[in-house]
Amino acid sequence: MKLFRQFIVLFLTFLCLFTSLSTCSWASASEDIPAALTGKWGYIHDPDTPALIIKANGKAELDGKKYTYTCTDEFLELTDKKGYSEKFRYKLEEDGLYFYKNNVYVYCGENEPSGIIGQWKCDDKKWSFEFTENGTFNEDGFFPGYYSLNEDTSEFTLIYNDHFEDTTCYYTIENNELHVSYPWFMVKIK
């Protein structure tokens, strides 16, 4: 009986040691991505259809296209088969994920833009923004409101007249292009 107990103690010791070693090696292989980010995500307006899939093996899908990825606490960088990569900002929340999609809007004025003021169009998606000096905006010609601008952090916040949630976007201006990272809220698909 004493030999049996020693065997059990020795077996449990090896089991604990093996488990801790295998857990450490798994954690170091996947430390680039928060565990909460892995899984299938759907847009809030279509929560049952996967729009973003993040796998622990370094593979991802966004809107049906396949990628590999690298990840930090703030950005997910997706790389396609041709080697083109793009960084997407994200923020994990208790009830979901804000995934910031990047779009380029071209200035429609006659001269070079002076900051964010003016009309901007994204012909690829038929989207537009118009920002006025009075602090008002119009998105896509249908969604008016007020905006606040924080040039230090390269953010603008859209305060819609309609019953939409206030939306903070990140932006940069390069020549006559307005690069906007717009947040889309996603929920995890179970």
Side-chain angles (χ1 to χ4, degrees):
M1 189 71 166
K2 185 176 180 183
L3 184 59
F4 181 71
R5 282 189 207 152
Q6 289 175 341
F7 174 75
I8 294 295
V9 169
L10 188 60
F11 175 75
L12 291 175
T13 303
F14 279 118
L15 183 63
C16 289
L17 181 62
F18 177 74
T19 304
S20 68
L21 288 176
S22 64
T23 302
C24 289
S25 65
W26 179 83
S28 65
S30 64
E31 66 187 337
D32 290 336
I33 185 161
L37 191 58
T38 58
K40 295 179 180 180
W41 297 88
Y43 294 112
I44 189 73
H45 59 272
D46 189 9
D48 296 325
T49 303
L52 176 66
I53 301 171
I54 304 293
K55 299 177 183 177
N57 67 359
K59 307 262 185 208
E61 288 183 34
L62 176 62
D63 296 327
K65 295 179 183 171
K66 296 184 182 207
Y67 300 91
T68 57
Y69 70 85
T70 57
C71 185
T72 66
D73 289 340
E74 195 174 353
F75 289 97
L76 182 68
E77 185 171 357
L78 299 178
T79 304
D80 66 14
K81 291 178 184 176
K82 295 180 180 178
Y84 174 77
S85 60
E86 185 174 2
K87 281 187 177 181
F88 296 90
R89 184 183 300 269
Y90 73 91
K91 290 184 183 175
L92 280 168
E93 301 285 328
E94 279 186 35
D95 55 345
L97 163 76
Y98 283 102
F99 188 77
Y100 289 76
K101 291 186 134 185
N102 304 315
N103 290 294
V104 178
Y105 295 78
V106 176
Y107 183 67
C108 298
E110 292 180 14
N111 301 318
E112 291 292 312
S114 176
I116 201 170
I117 305 300
Q119 188 171 13
W120 305 85
K121 289 189 178 181
C122 177
D123 288 333
D124 291 349
K125 298 194 174 156
K126 309 255 188 283
W127 291 347
S128 66
F129 275 116
E130 183 175 3
F131 296 96
T132 70
E133 293 176 358
N134 299 331
T136 63
F137 78 93
N138 195 313
E139 181 180 356
D140 300 336
F142 298 107
F143 307 109
Y146 295 89
Y147 72 94
S148 65
L149 186 65
N150 186 335
E151 292 176 344
D152 293 335
T153 59
S154 298
E155 298 173 350
F156 61 79
T157 300
L158 306 173
I159 302 125
Y160 293 92
N161 291 345
D162 295 324
H163 298 287
F164 296 128
E165 185 177 312
D166 293 353
T167 303
T168 299
C169 302
Y170 294 89
Y171 78 96
T172 58
I173 297 174
E174 297 174 15
N175 299 319
N176 68 337
E177 294 180 340
L178 174 65
H179 297 256
V180 176
S181 292
Y182 192 96
W184 293 87
F185 193 71
M186 296 183 177
V187 292
K188 204 157 203 181
I189 299 173
K190 299 192 188 252

